[in-house]
Each structure stands twice: as C-alpha cells, then as structure tokens.
Amino acid sequence: MDDQSAERLAAILPVLINAGAYDVYFTPIQMKKNRPATKLSVLINKRDLEDITYLIFKHTSTVGIRYQSFNRTVMSRHFTKVTTPWGAVSVKVATFKDITKQTPEFEDCLAISQKYQLPIDNVYQMVYQQLKN
C-alpha cells in the first residue's frame, strides 16, 4: 500500500491477530513509479481466508489482495510448570521425533523480573537450571 500512513496501518495488526491470524507483519517495498510502499503479510489458516480478506479490505486502503498457499509442519506442544525461588513459571515443551525444545514463557519471566527487580536473564537462567534437575 502506498497511500496509507504508518499510524493507520498499525491499527490493522491487532484486528487481524484477534481474528485468528497466526502472524502479521509489514515490509517496506518499492512499487510502480518507484513509490515507497508497505506490504502487509498475514499468515492464516485457509478456513479464515474470507473473514481475513474482509478485514483487510475494511481496515486498509488496498483494493486487491494476492494469495499464496504454504505447507506447514508444527511441533507437538504442551506446557509444564517449573518452580523457582520466586514462583512458578510456565514452560512450553515442543517435540518432533527425537527433538525436544523447552522455552520459558516470557510473560511469567517478565512478571517475576519486575516483581523482584531482577534482570530477566536471571529468571530465564533459573528456569533452565531447574529444567536440568
């Protein structure tokens, strides 16, 4: 889009996320006649295409939308809790075949960091230390 301000474009991001988009992002591009513009990319489930298309037309200046289909592989996920000296932290556990990834939830770590005035890295380190035990 070459005719919509950054402020007005920013407003569409939460609308699309709340409508079920997996991700929404903007990319600066050059359009015809060398005009600077912004490309809006939205990753969605195919079943949401009509609703998301409606929202893009409603909340942006665009008059056309291009579509592309991609395949997606997602690791199985579940959550567990780790107890730290400052409280419990949720940890996302993702698996695929023999691969396991464990990631502390940012919001839990941030809340502890703020409550106890700790660097957030200290909270993450404590969670990872507890995961090793």
Side-chain angles (χ1 to χ4, degrees), residues 1-122:
M1 290 168 270
D2 63 357
D3 60 348
Q4 189 163 342
S5 71
E7 293 89 355
R8 289 180 48 226
L9 273 175
I12 188 69
L13 193 144
V15 170
L16 296 172
I17 292 292
N18 290 335
Y22 297 133
D23 205 353
V24 179
Y25 58 95
F26 303 104
T27 307
I29 61 171
Q30 294 298 122
M31 294 184 67
K32 62 184 173 187
K33 299 180 184 176
N34 206 27
R35 290 188 199 137
T38 302
K39 180 171 107 176
L40 169 64
S41 297
V42 185
L43 301 176
I44 63 169
N45 188 300
K46 190 175 182 177
R47 71 172 182 265
D48 297 326
L49 180 60
E50 188 172 335
D51 293 339
I52 296 294
T53 298
Y54 173 82
L55 291 172
I56 293 170
F57 282 139
K58 182 177 180 179
H59 293 279
T60 72
S61 62
T62 194
V63 295
I65 298 172
R66 293 183 180 105
Y67 304 95
Q68 243 179 322
S69 293
F70 296 97
N71 294 321
R72 181 176 183 231
T73 301
V74 179
M75 297 178 80
S76 298
R77 292 173 279 194
H78 70 275
F79 288 88
T80 188
K81 290 265 187 194
V82 169
T83 303
T84 73
W86 312 291
V89 174
S90 292
V91 175
K92 183 190 308 178
V93 181
T95 59
F96 182 81
K97 297 186 180 185
D98 64 337
I99 302 165
T100 300
K101 298 179 181 183
Q102 300 180 71
T103 308
E105 285 296 293
F106 171 76
E107 285 80 12
D108 290 357
C109 293
L110 180 62
I112 288 172
S113 170
Q114 291 172 337
K115 181 176 180 180
Y116 294 98
Q117 299 179 343
L118 298 166
I120 196 165
D121 285 346
N122 291 17

